[in-house]
């Protein structure tokens, strides 16, 4: 017991007046550690029910209240007590990736069929002996490097890596499809090797496991389905979800990505086929941010689908009913969240590809209580803002020049409005008033420019906040007219409706700006607002360009102009890692803004000269560490850095924290396998 720090009312979020920190177990003097104390106290207090608050208010000591709260929480969270039982039941392995060993209860052929521990032909003789796989594999032991080159030979199949394809080609070629299947098969048999090749070839393979190819995989998921991966929680599981969560074989889950399949990339409602997206996102969690593949869980919530073609397809594997809406829908999602947070209270929950009717309401429902974020709203926003800062740097302008930009955002859905809000926040941070920030932003949707004169039932509150107010601004104005009238410096596309940035629009952007900023961010390639080639062609090679799906660099007038990739993959892996390692309790706007502000620092001057607004993707681990670090620092300032080890590392300096983060990451290499005899506890 110990330190004498006393928290202020403000620092405790006004929840508990001047609580003595002596209730915490350790004397912690340094600011980061103090932030840790504050964070813990706040976190525990946030779990108290109104009845507990009244106990605190009535003068019951905080210590008593906290311990009572923790006993109550423990009663609701039986994970720890049941852990050994579950291990026994599931015949599981636990893997210590950092110390490179794994404990197994299985043996023989079961090991070869378990992709989490299988090494295939790389099992050394000693392990073949002790794990009972001798004779089940060809005699020769292959070194991992040999396994990789064998796989890559097949993967490349006599060709070089494929270029990002042109938007006119529709985005996905037969080569993409073949490679997607090869990678899937590898993941299903040997995850270590899968992540090793993915990390080593991240730039090329992210086109395959992620956009654009993952879009094709989702469209065809019901035909491609072979093996179980992830979990399905459906409307018919109502009342059972807490128990179902225990069917997942891992006792520790650090990250869940969940979709309800209602808006998959720009491909619309794909129902349970949407599970391909959480799978692809989590592949990036592991490769890009070092999440442990044994502790990530892709999920689809099946509440039906409004995609009639899919519903009527005999191969469709979800509930063949129209989507649930309203209170019934929210009850299902509430139950799912309670189920997974009940079993894994420390996990980060990422909402992905929910349609605009539910994305914002769901985020607002959980964001103040749980470690959740919506990637399309928040990850995309941070990515777009980082790209704008990069574009300003290319023009030799400082960050504060954001407040002078005039920006058109096309698409007023979850992504478009997330981006609009965060740009406004960035402008305000750089000295604008909120009114001035709104004045610099024009939002259009499928009905044209959004103004205050639009019918109230045709826009949500989030959109209304950015509706144009001036009488002379025509409601529903066409994009080209808006561009010629307001002469925006930047044009951002998040409509998922294909080539809205026509040659006329691109030409106008080129006429109004020396360096027009053009970000067609919709996915997959077939839904992008324009190609890199067209952006450069119609602006005379002056566009600062970045797109949601990859595009090849453009040769124009003897120069090579980089085509950046404005995709939230720059943000969500590092953001989730920072929140998970810091155990920040919730994910705040300041943490997301910190991620956005961190990225431009990683673009070297020579890349800015080539027109690149983002860091190089072959540095993805470094990028994610940098983002995670920024997120944890922002969390510490807000008193939310709950992990003492992280707080201490931060206290010692940025480089120590960066090294510590790196040390927590999973590195895809084979671990020694230890078979636990019956009766031995892990
Ligand atoms: N690059 C990235 O990191 C990200 C890209 N996206 C992409 O953004 C797109 C939209 O995503 P959400 O906002 O979640 O979808 P959403 O369904 O919530 O919103 C779509 C918006 O686009 C508007 N729209 C549709 N047709 C239009 C047209 N012809 N002209 C102008 N506006 C039109 C709709 O009115 C709506 O406001 C998708 O293609 C998605 O893949 C989303 C998240 C991240
Ligand atoms: C990248 C992404 O999250 C999307 O297109 O929805
Ligand atoms: Mg998405």
């Amino acid at each position: 017991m110990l330190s004498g720090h006393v928290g202020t009312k403000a620092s405790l979020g006004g929840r508990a007046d001047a609580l003595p920190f002596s209730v915490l177990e350790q004397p912690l003097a340094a600011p980061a550690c103090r932030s840790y104390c504050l964070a813990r106290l706040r976190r525990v207090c946030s779990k108290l029910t109104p009845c507990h608050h009244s106990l605190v208010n009535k003068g019951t000591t905080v210590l008593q209240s906290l311990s009572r709260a923790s006993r109550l929480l423990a009663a609701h969270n039986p994970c720890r007590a049941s852990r050994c039982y579950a291990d026994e039941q599931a015949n599981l392995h636990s893997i210590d990736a950092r110390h490179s060993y794994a404990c197994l209860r299985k043996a023989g052929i079961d090991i070869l069929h378990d992709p989490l521990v299988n090494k295939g032909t790389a099992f050394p003789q000693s392990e073949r002996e002790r794990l009972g796989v001798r004779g089940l594999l060809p005699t020769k032991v292959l070194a991992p490097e040999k396994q990789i080159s064998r796989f890559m030979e097949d993967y490349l199949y006599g060709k070089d890596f494929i270029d990002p394809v042109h938007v006119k080609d529709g985005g996905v070629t037969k080569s993409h499809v073949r490679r997607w299947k090869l990678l899937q098969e590898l993941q299903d048999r040997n995850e270590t090797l899968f992540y090793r090749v993915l990390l080593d070839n991240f730039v090329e393979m992210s086109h395959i496991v992620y956009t654009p190819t993952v879009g094709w995989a989702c469209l065809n998921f019901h035909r491609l389905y072979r093996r179980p991966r992830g979990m399905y929680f459906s409307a018919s599981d109502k009342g059972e979800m807490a128990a179902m969560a225990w069917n997942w074989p891992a006792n520790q889950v650090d990250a869940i990505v969940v979709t309800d399949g209602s808006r998959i990339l720009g491909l619309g409602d794909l129902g349970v086929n949407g599970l391909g997206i959480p799978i692809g996102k989590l592949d990036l969690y592991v490769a890009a941010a070092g999440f442990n593949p044994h502790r990530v869980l892709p999920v689809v919530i099946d509440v039906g689908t409004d995609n009639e073609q899919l519903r009527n397809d005999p191969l469709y594997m979800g509930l063949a009913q129209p989507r649930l809406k309203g209170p019934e829908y929210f009850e299902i999602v509430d139950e799912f969240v309670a189920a997974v947070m009940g079993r894994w209270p420390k996990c980060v929950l990422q909402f992905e590809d929910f349609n605009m009717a539910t994305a914002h309401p769901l985020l607002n429902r959980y964001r103040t209580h749980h470690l959740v974020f919506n990637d399309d709203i928040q990850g995309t926003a941070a990515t777009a803002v980082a790209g704008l800062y990069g574009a300003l740097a290319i023009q030799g302008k400082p960050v504060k020049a954001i407040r002078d930009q005039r920006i058109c955002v096309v698409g007023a859905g979850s992504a478009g409005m997330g981006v609009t809000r965060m740009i406004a926040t960035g402008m305000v941070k750089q000295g604008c008033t909120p009114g001035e920030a709104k004045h610099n932003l024009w939002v259009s949707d499928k009905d044209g420019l959004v103004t205050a004169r639009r019918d109230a039932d045709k826009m949500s509150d989030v959109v209304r906040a950015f509706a144009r107010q001036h009488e002379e601004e025509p409601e529903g104005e066409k994009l080209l007219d808006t561009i010629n009238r307001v002469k925006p410096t930047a044009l951002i596309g998040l409509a998922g409706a294909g080539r809205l940035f026509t040659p006329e629009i691109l030409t106008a952007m080129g006429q109004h700006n020396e360096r027009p900023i053009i970000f067609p961010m919709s996915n997959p390639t077939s839904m992008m607002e324009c190609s890199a080639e067209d952006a450069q062609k119609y602006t005379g090679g002056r566009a600062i360009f970045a797109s949601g799906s990859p595009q090849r660099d453009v040769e124009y007038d003897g120069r090579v102009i980089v085509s950046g990739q404005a995709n939230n993959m720059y943000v969500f892996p590092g953001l989730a890692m920072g929140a998970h390692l810091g155990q920040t309790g919730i994910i705040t706007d300041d943490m997301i803004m910190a991620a956005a502000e961190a990225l431009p620092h990683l673009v070297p001057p020579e890349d800015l000269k080539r027109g690149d607004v983002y860091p190089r993707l072959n540095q993805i681990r470094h990028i994610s560490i940098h983002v995670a670090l920024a997120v944890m620092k922002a969390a510490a300032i807000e008193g939310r850095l709950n992990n003492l080890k992280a707080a201490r590392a931060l206290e010692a300096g940025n480089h120590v924290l960066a090294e510590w983060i790196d040390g927590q990451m999973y590195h895809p290499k084979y671990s020694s396998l230890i078979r636990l005899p019956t009766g031995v506890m892990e």
Side-chain angles (χ1 to χ4, degrees):
M1 288 239 145
L2 354 160
S3 89
H5 303 303
V6 174
T8 66
K9 191 171 176 179
S11 63
L12 291 163
R15 272 239 162 98
D17 292 7
L19 302 174
F21 275 109
S22 54
V23 297
L24 298 166
E25 307 97 10
Q26 295 175 40
L28 302 165
C33 295
R34 216 162 36 234
S35 137
Y36 163 80
C37 294
L38 268 174
R40 264 194 64 192
L41 195 52
R42 180 186 284 168
R43 191 163 156 71
V44 179
C45 287
S46 75
K47 301 280 182 196
L48 301 180
T49 63
C51 129
H52 297 122
H53 279 299
S54 79
L55 285 178
V56 173
N57 293 341
K58 278 181 189 147
T60 312
T61 67
V62 175
L63 185 55
Q64 282 168 332
S65 301
L66 293 183
S67 71
R68 181 186 293 219
S70 60
R71 277 203 308 278
L72 280 169
L73 287 173
H76 289 292
N77 173 15
C79 308
R80 287 186 73 83
S82 310
R83 189 187 159 125
C84 297
Y85 171 77
D87 280 350
E88 286 296 332
Q89 293 299 302
N91 195 20
L92 272 182
H93 41 71
S94 79
I95 301 211
D96 185 331
R98 272 177 296 145
H99 297 107
S100 280
Y101 69 83
C103 297
L104 310 177
R105 293 199 187 277
K106 53 183 77 165
I109 198 83
D110 288 344
I111 290 180
L112 302 185
H113 288 159
D114 180 347
L116 290 175
V117 288
N118 183 27
K119 303 178 186 177
T121 49
F123 270 113
Q125 288 301 353
S126 57
E127 276 185 354
R128 292 181 186 208
E129 205 69 61
R130 75 173 184 261
L131 301 174
V133 295
R134 186 171 176 173
L136 301 180
L137 291 161
T139 318
K140 192 168 173 185
V141 176
L142 292 191
E145 284 64 33
K146 196 83 194 154
Q147 286 185 307
I148 291 169
S149 63
R150 213 162 68 101
F151 175 80
M152 290 308 292
E153 202 175 306
D154 198 5
Y155 183 86
L156 293 171
Y157 189 54
K159 286 192 201 150
D160 241 346
F161 283 128
I162 29 182
D163 264 350
V165 283
H166 194 282
V167 70
K168 283 181 194 142
D169 303 333
V172 178
T173 63
K174 281 190 178 156
S175 257
H176 283 83
V177 169
R178 196 182 72 83
R179 288 173 185 191
W180 182 86
K181 286 181 177 169
L182 279 177
L183 282 168
Q184 276 298 300
E185 283 161 16
L186 179 61
Q187 189 174 22
D188 285 343
R189 14 170 236 280
N190 183 337
E191 294 219 8
T192 315
L193 205 59
F194 168 77
Y195 284 112
R196 174 78 191 271
V197 296
L198 178 55
L199 187 53
D200 288 353
N201 304 284
F202 189 78
V203 178
E204 207 272 346
M205 288 184 182
S206 62
H207 308 170
I208 308 296
V209 301
Y210 191 55
T211 184
T213 316
V214 72
W216 167 87
C218 289
L219 287 169
N220 293 287
F221 191 82
H222 54 307
R223 296 188 197 101
L224 295 166
Y225 181 86
R226 297 289 180 275
R227 289 171 59 115
R229 183 172 286 278
M231 286 193 82
Y232 301 76
F233 288 84
S234 88
S236 56
D237 297 318
K238 198 159 181 237
E240 303 288 338
M241 292 186 198
M244 278 169 64
W246 286 86
N247 289 345
W248 187 250
N251 271 320
Q252 193 174 339
V253 166
D254 298 336
I256 296 174
V257 177
V258 62
T259 186
D260 68 354
S262 55
R263 191 285 283 151
I264 295 298
L265 305 176
L267 303 169
D269 183 345
L270 297 185
V272 289
N273 281 22
L275 182 60
I277 290 290
I279 292 173
K281 291 271 176 186
L282 285 167
D283 288 347
L284 266 56
Y285 263 63
V286 175
F291 274 82
N292 191 320
H294 317 164
R295 299 196 208 134
V296 297
L297 170 57
V299 173
V300 64
I301 298 178
D302 183 5
V303 291
T305 173
D306 290 341
N307 183 331
E308 265 190 67
Q309 196 189 342
L310 213 46
R311 225 163 51 203
N312 296 330
D313 189 324
L315 291 183
Y316 179 63
M317 296 177 297
L319 291 177
Q321 64 179 44
R323 232 166 230 293
L324 288 187
K325 305 216 163 62
E328 268 187 292
Y329 171 85
F330 287 101
E331 276 170 27
I332 298 291
V333 184
D334 280 351
E335 187 179 335
F336 159 75
V337 172
V340 294
M341 286 297 180
R343 183 165 182 207
W344 303 289
K346 291 182 164 183
C347 88
V348 179
L349 178 57
Q350 172 175 323
F351 285 89
E352 189 69 45
D353 290 7
F354 285 71
N355 68 25
M356 61 184 163
T358 56
H360 275 102
L362 286 174
L363 178 62
N364 293 337
R365 206 170 174 95
Y366 308 116
R367 64 180 299 176
T368 52
H369 299 93
H370 293 301
L371 202 51
V372 303
F373 70 104
N374 181 301
D375 182 38
D376 301 295
I377 299 173
Q378 297 166 295
T380 315
T383 306
V385 169
L388 289 174
Y389 287 143
L392 293 174
I394 289 177
Q395 298 174 59
K397 293 177 183 165
V399 162
K400 71 170 185 291
I402 186 96
R403 65 186 190 199
D404 305 321
Q405 301 304 302
R406 292 183 308 284
I407 300 174
C408 281
V409 179
V410 184
S414 32
M417 293 322 299
V419 166
T420 306
R421 271 194 63 220
M422 194 154 162
I423 296 174
T425 308
M427 287 176 169
V428 170
K429 217 176 155 187
Q430 297 305 326
C432 277
T433 63
E436 286 165 346
K438 282 183 188 175
H439 188 69
N440 289 339
L441 289 157
W442 287 261
V443 175
S444 313
D445 67 2
K446 63 177 176 11
D447 300 320
L449 183 68
V450 180
T451 72
R453 285 175 305 291
R454 183 168 290 200
D455 291 347
D457 59 347
K458 284 200 175 156
M459 59 181 163
S460 65
D461 291 347
V462 191
V463 178
R464 189 173 300 110
F466 289 92
R468 301 297 300 177
Q469 300 293 331
H470 292 285
E471 285 294 325
E472 64 270 22
E473 300 211 58
E475 162 59 31
E477 186 180 37
K478 288 205 168 84
L479 183 59
L480 181 59
D481 296 338
T482 307
I483 285 173
N484 283 327
R485 184 170 59 80
V486 306
K487 302 180 177 39
T489 53
L491 180 59
I492 298 177
L494 284 160
R499 272 150 271 164
L500 300 177
F501 299 173
T502 58
E504 295 74 28
I505 284 174
L506 295 170
T507 307
M509 284 298 291
Q511 283 165 351
H512 301 314
N513 297 282
E514 200 183 316
R515 298 299 310 269
I517 301 169
I518 315 258
F519 290 174
M521 290 180 70
S522 290
N523 294 313
T525 319
S526 54
M527 291 298 162
M528 279 167 40
E529 284 74 12
C530 69
S531 67
E533 207 178 309
D534 281 357
Q536 300 306 346
K537 181 170 155 193
Y538 293 108
T539 60
R542 290 177 288 119
I544 299 174
F545 178 92
S547 52
S549 291
Q551 287 277 278
R552 60 169 85 97
D553 295 345
V554 177
E555 257 192 69
Y556 188 90
D557 216 5
R559 286 178 301 134
V560 173
I561 310 167
V562 168
S563 307
Q565 194 175 350
N567 192 293
N568 50 27
M569 72 175 150
Y570 275 109
V571 171
F572 69 78
L575 172 64
M577 188 45 112
H580 160 64
L581 286 179
Q583 277 302 302
T584 58
I586 60 171
I587 295 176
T588 64
D589 286 346
D590 281 0
M591 288 156 69
I592 290 160
M593 183 57 94
E597 290 171 349
L599 280 175
H601 295 293
L602 298 178
V603 189
E606 60 273 21
D607 286 10
L608 289 176
K609 261 193 211 138
R610 289 167 0 111
D612 212 347
V613 296
Y614 291 108
R616 293 192 181 194
L617 274 176
N618 61 3
Q619 307 279 310
I620 192 67
R621 278 270 167 123
H622 179 60
I623 294 167
S624 297
I625 290 175
H626 198 74
V627 169
L629 189 146
V631 167
M632 287 159 90
K633 281 173 74 175
I637 291 168
E638 295 184 301
R640 297 189 190 282
L641 198 57
N642 285 301
N643 183 338
L644 181 56
K645 285 185 182 156
R648 288 203 167 130
L650 176 58
E651 199 63 44
N654 283 354
H655 64 286
V656 177
L657 182 55
E659 269 172 31
W660 181 80
I661 296 169
D662 188 30
Q664 305 306 304
M665 286 179 161
Y666 162 83
H667 294 274
K669 55 179 196 253
Y670 290 133
S671 312
S672 295
L673 299 182
I674 298 159
R675 187 171 163 212
L676 291 180
T678 324
V680 173
M681 303 292 278
E682 288 170 51

